[in-house]
Coordinates of all heavy atoms in Angstrom, one line a residue:
D1 N 98.0 110.2 80.6 CA 99.0 109.3 81.0 C 100.2 110.1 81.6 O 100.8 110.9 81.0 CB 99.4 108.5 79.7 CG 100.4 107.4 80.0 OD1 100.6 107.0 81.1 OD2 101.0 106.9 79.0
A2 N 100.6 109.6 82.8 CA 101.7 110.3 83.5 C 103.0 109.6 83.0 O 103.7 108.9 83.6 CB 101.5 110.1 84.9
N3 N 103.3 109.8 81.7 CA 104.5 109.1 81.0 C 105.7 109.9 81.3 O 106.1 110.7 80.5 CB 104.2 109.0 79.5 CG 105.1 108.2 78.8 OD1 106.3 107.9 79.3 ND2 104.7 107.7 77.6
W4 N 106.3 109.6 82.4 CA 107.5 110.4 82.8 C 108.7 109.9 81.8 O 109.7 110.6 81.7 CB 107.9 110.1 84.3 CG 108.1 108.7 84.6 CD1 107.1 107.8 85.2 CD2 109.3 107.9 84.5 NE1 107.7 106.7 85.4 CE2 109.0 106.6 85.0 CE3 110.6 108.2 84.1 CZ2 110.0 105.7 85.1 CZ3 111.5 107.2 84.1 CH2 111.2 106.0 84.6
G5 N 108.6 108.8 81.1 CA 109.6 108.5 80.2 C 109.8 109.4 79.1 O 110.8 109.7 78.6
R6 N 108.6 110.0 78.6 CA 108.7 111.0 77.5 C 109.4 112.3 78.1 O 110.1 112.9 77.4 CB 107.4 111.3 77.1 CG 106.8 110.3 76.2 CD 105.4 110.7 75.6 NE 105.0 109.6 74.8 CZ 104.1 109.8 73.8 NH1 103.8 111.0 73.5 NH2 103.7 108.8 73.1
I7 N 109.2 112.5 79.3 CA 109.8 113.7 80.0 C 111.3 113.5 80.0 O 112.2 114.3 79.6 CB 109.2 114.1 81.3 CG1 107.7 114.4 81.2 CG2 110.0 115.2 82.0 CD1 107.0 114.5 82.5
L8 N 111.7 112.4 80.4 CA 113.1 111.9 80.5 C 113.8 112.0 79.2 O 114.9 112.4 79.0 CB 113.3 110.6 81.3 CG 114.8 110.1 81.4 CD1 115.6 111.1 82.3 CD2 114.6 108.8 82.2
A9 N 113.1 111.3 78.1 CA 113.6 111.4 76.8 C 113.8 112.8 76.3 O 114.8 113.1 75.6 CB 112.7 110.6 75.8
A10 N 112.8 113.7 76.6 CA 113.1 115.2 76.1 C 114.2 115.8 76.9 O 115.0 116.7 76.2 CB 111.8 116.0 76.5
L11 N 114.4 115.5 78.1 CA 115.6 116.0 78.9 C 117.0 115.6 78.2 O 117.8 116.3 78.0 CB 115.6 115.5 80.4 CG 114.6 116.2 81.3 CD1 114.6 115.4 82.5 CD2 114.9 117.7 81.4
G12 N 117.0 114.2 77.9 CA 118.2 113.8 77.2 C 118.4 114.4 75.8 O 119.5 114.8 75.5
A13 N 117.3 114.6 75.1 CA 117.4 115.2 73.8 C 117.8 116.7 73.8 O 118.3 117.3 72.9 CB 116.2 115.0 72.9
S14 N 117.5 117.3 75.0 CA 117.8 118.7 75.1 C 119.3 119.1 75.2 O 119.5 120.3 74.9 CB 117.2 119.3 76.3 OG 117.9 118.9 77.6
G15 N 120.1 118.1 75.5 CA 121.5 118.4 75.6 C 121.9 119.0 77.0 O 123.0 119.3 77.2
A16 N 120.9 119.0 77.9 CA 121.2 119.5 79.3 C 122.2 118.5 79.9 O 122.2 117.4 79.7 CB 119.9 119.6 80.0
D17 N 123.1 119.0 80.7 CA 124.0 118.3 81.3 C 123.5 117.9 82.7 O 123.4 118.9 83.6 CB 125.4 119.0 81.6 CG 126.5 118.2 82.0 OD1 126.4 117.1 82.1 OD2 127.5 118.8 82.5
F18 N 123.2 116.7 83.0 CA 122.7 116.3 84.4 C 123.0 114.9 84.7 O 123.3 114.0 83.8 CB 121.2 116.5 84.5 CG 120.4 115.6 83.5 CD1 119.8 114.5 84.0 CD2 120.1 116.0 82.3 CE1 119.1 113.6 83.2 CE2 119.4 115.2 81.4 CZ 118.8 114.1 81.8
E19 N 123.0 114.6 85.9 CA 123.2 113.2 86.3 C 121.8 112.5 86.6 O 121.2 113.1 87.5 CB 124.1 113.2 87.6 CG 125.5 113.8 87.4 CD 126.2 113.9 88.7 OE1 125.9 113.2 89.6 OE2 127.2 114.7 88.7
H20 N 121.6 111.5 85.8 CA 120.2 110.9 86.0 C 119.9 110.5 87.3 O 118.7 110.4 87.7 CB 120.0 109.8 84.9 CG 120.7 108.6 85.1 ND1 122.0 108.3 84.9 CD2 120.2 107.4 85.7 CE1 122.4 107.1 85.3 NE2 121.3 106.6 85.8
E21 N 121.0 110.0 88.1 CA 120.7 109.5 89.4 C 120.3 110.5 90.5 O 119.9 110.2 91.5 CB 121.8 108.6 89.9 CG 123.1 109.3 90.0 CD 123.9 109.3 88.7 OE1 123.6 108.7 87.7 OE2 124.9 110.0 88.7
R22 N 120.3 111.7 90.0 CA 119.9 112.9 91.0 C 118.5 113.3 90.5 O 117.9 114.2 91.2 CB 120.9 114.0 90.9 CG 122.3 113.5 91.4 CD 123.3 114.5 91.4 NE 122.9 115.4 92.5 CZ 123.4 116.6 92.8 NH1 124.3 117.1 91.8 NH2 123.1 117.3 93.8
L23 N 118.0 113.0 89.3 CA 116.7 113.5 88.8 C 115.5 113.2 89.6 O 115.4 112.2 90.1 CB 116.6 112.9 87.3 CG 115.3 113.2 86.6 CD1 115.5 114.8 86.1 CD2 115.3 112.3 85.4
E24 N 114.6 114.2 89.6 CA 113.3 114.1 90.2 C 112.2 114.6 89.2 O 112.5 115.7 88.6 CB 113.2 114.9 91.5 CG 114.0 114.4 92.6 CD 113.9 115.1 93.9 OE1 112.8 115.8 94.1 OE2 114.8 115.0 94.8
I25 N 111.2 114.0 89.0 CA 110.1 114.4 88.2 C 108.8 114.3 89.0 O 108.5 113.2 89.5 CB 110.0 113.5 86.9 CG1 111.3 113.7 86.0 CG2 108.8 114.0 86.1 CD1 111.3 112.8 84.8
S26 N 108.0 115.3 89.0 CA 106.6 115.3 89.7 C 105.6 116.0 88.6 O 106.0 116.8 87.8 CB 106.7 116.2 90.9 OG 107.6 115.6 91.9
I27 N 104.5 115.5 88.8 CA 103.4 116.0 88.0 C 102.3 116.4 89.0 O 101.8 115.5 89.7 CB 102.8 115.0 86.8 CG1 103.9 114.8 85.9 CG2 101.6 115.6 86.2 CD1 103.5 113.8 84.8
N28 N 102.0 117.7 89.1 CA 100.9 118.3 90.0 C 101.2 117.7 91.4 O 100.4 117.3 92.2 CB 99.5 117.9 89.6 CG 99.1 118.7 88.4 OD1 99.8 119.5 87.8 ND2 97.8 118.6 88.0
G29 N 102.6 117.7 91.7 CA 102.9 117.5 93.2 C 103.1 115.8 93.3 O 103.5 115.5 94.5
L30 N 102.7 115.1 92.5 CA 102.8 113.7 92.6 C 104.2 113.3 92.1 O 104.4 113.4 90.9 CB 101.7 112.9 91.7 CG 101.8 111.4 91.9 CD1 101.6 110.8 93.3 CD2 100.8 110.8 91.0
R31 N 105.2 112.8 93.0 CA 106.5 112.5 92.6 C 106.5 111.1 91.9 O 106.0 110.1 92.4 CB 107.4 112.4 93.8 CG 108.8 112.1 93.3 CD 109.8 112.4 94.3 NE 109.9 113.8 94.6 CZ 110.3 114.4 95.7 NH1 110.8 113.6 96.7 NH2 110.4 115.6 95.8
L32 N 106.9 111.2 90.6 CA 106.9 109.9 89.9 C 108.3 109.3 89.7 O 108.6 108.1 89.6 CB 106.5 110.3 88.4 CG 105.1 110.9 88.3 CD1 104.8 111.3 86.8 CD2 104.0 110.0 88.8
V33 N 109.4 110.2 89.8 CA 110.8 109.8 89.7 C 111.5 110.5 90.9 O 111.3 111.7 91.1 CB 111.4 110.2 88.4 CG1 112.9 109.9 88.4 CG2 110.7 109.5 87.3
A34 N 112.4 109.8 91.6 CA 113.2 110.2 92.7 C 114.5 109.5 92.6 O 114.6 108.3 92.4 CB 112.5 109.9 94.1
A35 N 115.6 110.3 92.7 CA 116.9 109.8 92.6 C 117.1 109.0 91.3 O 117.8 108.0 91.2 CB 117.3 108.9 93.8
G36 N 116.5 109.4 90.2 CA 116.6 108.8 88.9 C 115.9 107.5 88.7 O 116.0 106.8 87.7
H37 N 115.0 107.1 89.7 CA 114.3 105.9 89.6 C 112.7 106.1 89.8 O 112.3 107.0 90.5 CB 114.7 104.8 90.6 CG 116.2 104.4 90.4 ND1 116.5 103.5 89.5 CD2 117.3 104.9 91.0 CE1 117.8 103.3 89.5 NE2 118.2 104.1 90.5
A38 N 112.0 105.3 89.1 CA 110.5 105.4 89.3 C 110.1 105.2 90.7 O 110.7 104.3 91.4 CB 109.7 104.4 88.5
T39 N 109.2 106.0 91.2 CA 108.8 105.8 92.7 C 107.6 104.8 92.6 O 107.1 104.4 91.5 CB 108.2 107.1 93.2 OG1 107.1 107.6 92.5 CG2 109.2 108.2 93.2
A40 N 107.1 104.4 93.8 CA 106.0 103.5 93.9 C 104.7 104.3 93.9 O 103.9 104.0 94.8 CB 106.2 102.6 95.1
Y41 N 104.5 105.2 92.9 CA 103.3 106.0 92.9 C 102.2 105.1 92.6 O 102.2 104.1 92.0 CB 103.5 107.2 92.0 CG 103.6 106.9 90.5 CD1 102.5 106.7 89.7 CD2 104.9 106.6 89.9 CE1 102.6 106.3 88.3 CE2 105.0 106.3 88.6 CZ 103.9 106.2 87.8 OH 104.0 105.9 86.4
D42 N 100.9 105.6 93.0 CA 99.7 104.9 92.6 C 99.2 105.3 91.3 O 99.0 106.5 91.0 CB 98.7 105.3 93.6 CG 97.3 104.7 93.5 OD1 97.1 103.9 92.6 OD2 96.3 105.2 94.2
P43 N 99.2 104.4 90.3 CA 98.7 104.7 88.9 C 97.3 105.4 88.9 O 97.1 106.2 88.1 CB 98.7 103.4 88.2 CG 99.6 102.5 88.9 CD 99.6 102.9 90.3
A44 N 96.4 105.0 89.8 CA 95.1 105.7 89.9 C 95.3 107.2 90.2 O 94.6 108.0 89.7 CB 94.2 105.0 90.7
A45 N 96.2 107.4 91.1 CA 96.5 108.9 91.5 C 97.1 109.6 90.3 O 96.8 110.8 90.1 CB 97.3 108.9 92.8
A46 N 97.9 108.9 89.7 CA 98.6 109.6 88.5 C 97.5 110.0 87.4 O 97.7 111.0 86.8 CB 99.7 108.7 87.9
K47 N 96.6 109.0 87.2 CA 95.6 109.2 86.3 C 94.7 110.5 86.6 O 94.3 111.3 85.8 CB 94.7 107.9 86.1 CG 93.7 108.1 85.0 CD 92.9 106.8 84.8 CE 91.8 107.0 83.7 NZ 91.1 105.7 83.6
Q48 N 94.5 110.4 87.9 CA 93.6 111.6 88.4 C 94.2 113.0 88.2 O 93.7 113.8 87.8 CB 93.3 111.3 90.0 CG 92.5 112.4 90.5 CD 92.1 112.1 92.0 OE1 92.3 111.1 92.5 NE2 91.5 113.1 92.7
V49 N 95.6 113.1 88.6 CA 96.2 114.3 88.4 C 96.4 114.8 87.0 O 96.3 115.9 86.6 CB 97.7 114.4 89.2 CG1 97.5 114.1 90.6 CG2 98.7 113.5 88.4
M50 N 96.5 113.8 86.1 CA 96.5 114.1 84.6 C 95.2 114.6 84.2 O 95.1 115.1 82.9 CB 97.0 112.9 83.9 CG 98.4 112.5 84.1 SD 99.6 113.8 83.8 CE 99.5 114.0 82.0
Q51 N 94.0 114.5 84.9 CA 92.8 114.9 84.4 C 92.5 116.2 85.0 O 91.4 116.8 84.6 CB 91.7 113.8 84.8 CG 91.9 112.6 84.0 CD 90.8 111.5 84.5 OE1 89.8 111.8 85.1 NE2 91.1 110.3 84.0
E52 N 93.3 116.8 85.7 CA 93.1 118.2 86.3 C 93.2 119.3 85.1 O 93.9 119.0 84.1 CB 94.1 118.5 87.3 CG 93.9 117.5 88.5 CD 94.9 117.7 89.7 OE1 95.5 118.8 89.6 OE2 95.0 117.0 90.6
T53 N 92.7 120.4 85.3 CA 92.6 121.4 84.3 C 94.1 122.0 84.1 O 94.4 122.1 82.8 CB 91.7 122.6 84.8 OG1 90.5 122.2 85.1 CG2 91.6 123.8 83.7
G54 N 94.8 122.2 85.0 CA 96.2 122.6 84.8 C 97.1 121.5 85.2 O 97.0 120.7 86.2
I55 N 98.1 121.3 84.4 CA 99.2 120.3 84.5 C 100.5 120.9 84.9 O 101.0 121.6 84.0 CB 99.3 119.3 83.4 CG1 98.0 118.7 83.1 CG2 100.4 118.2 83.7 CD1 97.4 117.8 84.0
D56 N 101.2 120.7 86.1 CA 102.4 121.3 86.4 C 103.4 120.2 86.4 O 103.3 119.2 87.2 CB 102.3 121.9 87.8 CG 103.6 122.6 88.3 OD1 104.3 123.1 87.4 OD2 104.0 122.4 89.5
V57 N 104.2 120.2 85.5 CA 105.4 119.2 85.4 C 106.6 119.9 86.1 O 107.1 120.9 85.5 CB 105.7 118.8 84.0 CG1 106.8 117.8 83.9 CG2 104.4 118.2 83.3
A58 N 107.2 119.3 87.1 CA 108.3 119.7 87.8 C 109.5 118.8 87.6 O 109.3 117.6 87.9 CB 108.0 120.0 89.2
V59 N 110.5 119.2 87.1 CA 111.8 118.5 86.9 C 112.9 119.2 87.7 O 113.2 120.4 87.6 CB 112.2 118.4 85.4 CG1 113.5 117.7 85.2 CG2 111.1 117.8 84.7
D60 N 113.5 118.4 88.6 CA 114.6 118.9 89.4 C 115.8 118.1 89.0 O 115.8 117.0 89.3 CB 114.3 118.8 90.9 CG 115.3 119.7 91.8 OD1 116.4 120.0 91.2 OD2 115.0 119.9 92.8
L61 N 116.8 118.7 88.4 CA 118.0 118.1 87.9 C 119.0 118.1 89.2 O 120.1 117.4 88.9 CB 118.7 118.8 86.8 CG 117.8 118.8 85.5 CD1 118.4 119.7 84.5 CD2 117.3 117.5 85.0
H62 N 118.7 118.8 90.1 CA 119.8 119.1 91.3 C 121.2 119.5 90.7 O 122.1 118.9 91.1 CB 119.8 117.8 92.1 CG 118.6 117.5 92.8 ND1 118.3 118.2 94.0 CD2 117.6 116.6 92.6 CE1 117.2 117.8 94.6 NE2 116.7 116.8 93.6
A63 N 121.1 120.4 89.8 CA 122.3 120.8 89.1 C 122.6 122.3 89.2 O 123.3 122.9 88.4 CB 122.3 120.4 87.6
G64 N 122.0 123.0 90.3 CA 122.2 124.5 90.6 C 120.8 125.0 90.9 O 119.9 124.4 91.2
T65 N 120.8 126.4 91.0 CA 119.7 127.1 91.5 C 118.9 127.8 90.4 O 118.1 128.7 90.7 CB 120.2 128.2 92.4 OG1 121.0 129.0 91.8 CG2 120.8 127.4 93.7
F66 N 119.1 127.3 89.1 CA 118.3 128.0 88.1 C 117.0 127.4 87.9 O 116.7 126.3 88.3 CB 119.2 127.8 86.7 CG 120.5 128.3 86.8 CD1 121.6 127.5 87.1 CD2 120.8 129.7 86.6 CE1 122.8 128.0 87.2 CE2 122.0 130.2 86.8 CZ 123.1 129.3 87.0
Q67 N 116.0 128.1 87.3 CA 114.8 127.6 87.1 C 114.2 128.3 85.8 O 114.6 129.3 85.3 CB 113.7 127.8 88.2 CG 113.3 129.2 88.5 CD 112.3 129.3 89.6 OE1 112.5 128.5 90.6 NE2 111.4 130.1 89.5
A68 N 113.2 127.6 85.2 CA 112.5 128.1 84.0 C 111.0 127.7 83.9 O 110.7 126.8 84.7 CB 113.2 127.6 82.7
T69 N 110.2 128.4 83.4 CA 108.8 128.1 83.1 C 108.6 128.1 81.7 O 108.9 128.9 80.9 CB 108.0 129.2 83.8 OG1 108.4 129.3 85.3 CG2 106.5 128.9 83.7
A70 N 107.7 127.0 81.3 CA 107.3 126.9 79.9 C 105.8 126.7 80.0 O 105.2 126.0 80.8 CB 107.9 125.7 79.2
W71 N 105.1 127.4 79.1 CA 103.6 127.3 79.1 C 103.2 126.6 77.8 O 103.8 126.7 76.8 CB 103.0 128.8 79.0 CG 103.2 129.5 80.2 CD1 104.4 130.4 80.5 CD2 102.5 129.6 81.5 NE1 104.2 130.8 81.7 CE2 103.1 130.4 82.3 CE3 101.3 129.0 81.8 CZ2 102.7 130.7 83.6 CZ3 100.9 129.2 83.1 CH2 101.6 130.1 84.0
G72 N 102.1 125.8 78.0 CA 101.6 125.1 76.9 C 100.1 125.3 76.8 O 99.6 126.1 77.4
C73 N 99.5 124.5 76.0 CA 98.1 124.6 75.8 C 97.4 123.3 75.5 O 98.1 122.3 75.5 CB 97.7 125.6 74.7 SG 98.1 125.0 73.1
D74 N 96.1 123.3 75.6 CA 95.3 122.2 75.3 C 95.5 121.6 73.9 O 95.3 122.2 72.9 CB 93.8 122.6 75.4 CG 92.8 121.4 75.1 OD1 93.3 120.3 74.9 OD2 91.6 121.7 75.1
L75 N 95.9 120.4 73.9 CA 96.2 119.8 72.5 C 95.4 118.5 72.4 O 95.7 117.6 71.7 CB 97.7 119.4 72.4 CG 98.7 120.6 72.3 CD1 100.1 120.1 72.2 CD2 98.3 121.5 71.1
T76 N 94.2 118.5 73.0 CA 93.2 117.4 72.8 C 92.7 117.4 71.4 O 92.8 118.5 70.7 CB 92.1 117.5 73.8 OG1 91.4 118.7 73.6 CG2 92.7 117.4 75.2
H77 N 92.0 116.4 71.0 CA 91.4 116.4 69.7 C 90.4 117.5 69.5 O 90.3 118.1 68.4 CB 90.8 115.0 69.3 CG 91.8 114.0 68.8 ND1 92.2 114.1 67.6 CD2 92.3 113.0 69.5 CE1 93.1 113.0 67.4 NE2 93.2 112.3 68.6
G78 N 89.7 117.7 70.5 CA 88.7 118.8 70.5 C 89.3 120.2 70.1 O 88.9 121.0 69.2
Y79 N 90.4 120.5 70.7 CA 91.2 121.7 70.4 C 91.7 121.7 69.0 O 91.6 122.7 68.2 CB 92.4 122.0 71.5 CG 93.1 123.1 71.2 CD1 92.7 124.4 71.6 CD2 94.4 123.1 70.4 CE1 93.5 125.5 71.4 CE2 95.1 124.2 70.3 CZ 94.7 125.4 70.8 OH 95.5 126.6 70.5
I80 N 92.3 120.6 68.6 CA 92.9 120.6 67.3 C 91.8 120.6 66.2 O 91.9 121.4 65.2 CB 93.6 119.2 67.1 CG1 94.9 119.3 68.1 CG2 94.1 119.0 65.7 CD1 95.6 118.0 68.2
D81 N 90.7 120.0 66.4 CA 89.5 120.0 65.5 C 89.0 121.4 65.3 O 88.8 121.9 64.2 CB 88.4 119.1 65.9 CG 88.7 117.6 65.8 OD1 89.7 117.3 65.0 OD2 87.9 116.8 66.4
E82 N 88.9 122.1 66.5 CA 88.4 123.5 66.4 C 89.3 124.4 65.7 O 88.8 125.3 64.9 CB 88.3 124.0 67.9 CG 87.9 125.4 68.0 CD 87.8 126.0 69.4 OE1 87.4 125.2 70.3 OE2 88.1 127.2 69.7
N83 N 90.6 124.2 65.8 CA 91.6 125.1 65.1 C 91.8 124.6 63.7 O 92.4 125.5 62.8 CB 92.9 125.2 65.9 CG 92.7 126.0 67.1 OD1 92.6 127.3 66.9 ND2 92.4 125.5 68.2
T84 N 91.4 123.5 63.2 CA 91.5 123.1 61.8 C 90.4 123.7 60.9 O 90.4 123.5 59.8 CB 91.7 121.6 61.6 OG1 90.5 121.0 62.1 CG2 92.9 121.1 62.3
T85 N 89.4 124.2 61.6 CA 88.3 124.7 60.8 C 88.6 126.0 59.9 O 88.0 126.3 59.0 CB 87.1 125.1 61.7 OG1 87.5 126.1 62.7 CG2 86.5 123.9 62.4
Y86 N 89.8 126.6 60.3 CA 90.3 127.7 59.5 C 90.7 127.3 58.1 O 90.6 128.0 57.1 CB 91.6 128.3 60.1 CG 91.4 128.8 61.5 CD1 92.2 128.4 62.5 CD2 90.4 129.7 61.8 CE1 92.1 128.8 63.9 CE2 90.3 130.3 63.1 CZ 91.1 129.8 64.1 OH 91.0 130.2 65.4
F87 N 90.9 126.0 57.9 CA 91.3 125.5 56.6 C 90.3 124.8 55.8 O 90.5 124.2 54.8 CB 92.6 124.5 56.7 CG 93.7 125.3 57.5 CD1 93.9 124.9 58.8 CD2 94.4 126.3 56.8 CE1 95.0 125.5 59.5 CE2 95.5 126.8 57.5 CZ 95.9 126.5 58.8
R88 N 89.0 124.9 56.2 CA 87.9 124.2 55.6 C 87.2 125.1 54.7 O 87.0 126.2 54.8 CB 87.0 123.5 56.6 CG 87.7 122.4 57.3 CD 86.8 121.6 58.3 NE 87.6 120.8 59.0 CZ 87.0 120.1 60.1 NH1 85.9 120.4 60.6 NH2 87.9 119.4 60.8

């Protein structure tokens, strides 16, 4: 699910200082939010990019020239089930 609302909520909870009307959010190059508003993206295209092996979430606050990278991992039920076998 290309739930950009969760990304926006995390930004708000982060304490970052930004103007929401300048915000852009893209997932694997598909722009979901521009100028702080949802774009008219194709939900089928969003579903397709979310099924790719790697997911690149890009957030542009338009608040300077800084950037950061965060790495995550597979948190599907299969991955979680595999890693809970340590406790069985």
Side-chain angles (χ1 to χ4, degrees):
D1 181 16
N3 190 341
W4 59 266
R6 287 187 181 205
I7 298 168
L8 183 57
L11 288 169
S14 75
D17 186 20
F18 65 95
E19 298 173 20
H20 75 276
E21 59 273 353
R22 300 182 73 196
L23 176 72
E24 294 182 22
I25 300 173
S26 298
I27 297 179
N28 285 5
L30 179 64
R31 182 166 292 159
L32 305 175
V33 176
H37 297 281
T39 63
Y41 66 88
D42 177 8
K47 183 176 181 178
Q48 183 177 348
V49 299
M50 293 301 295
Q51 293 178 10
E52 294 178 15
T53 301
I55 305 294
D56 179 41
V57 177
V59 175
D60 192 340
L61 302 177
H62 292 282
T65 57
F66 304 99
Q67 71 178 37
T69 300
W71 294 91
C73 66
D74 174 9
L75 295 178
T76 62
H77 275 289
Y79 177 83
I80 294 168
D81 290 345
E82 178 181 324
N83 284 285
T84 58
T85 60
Y86 299 126
F87 303 106
R88 291 184 188 164

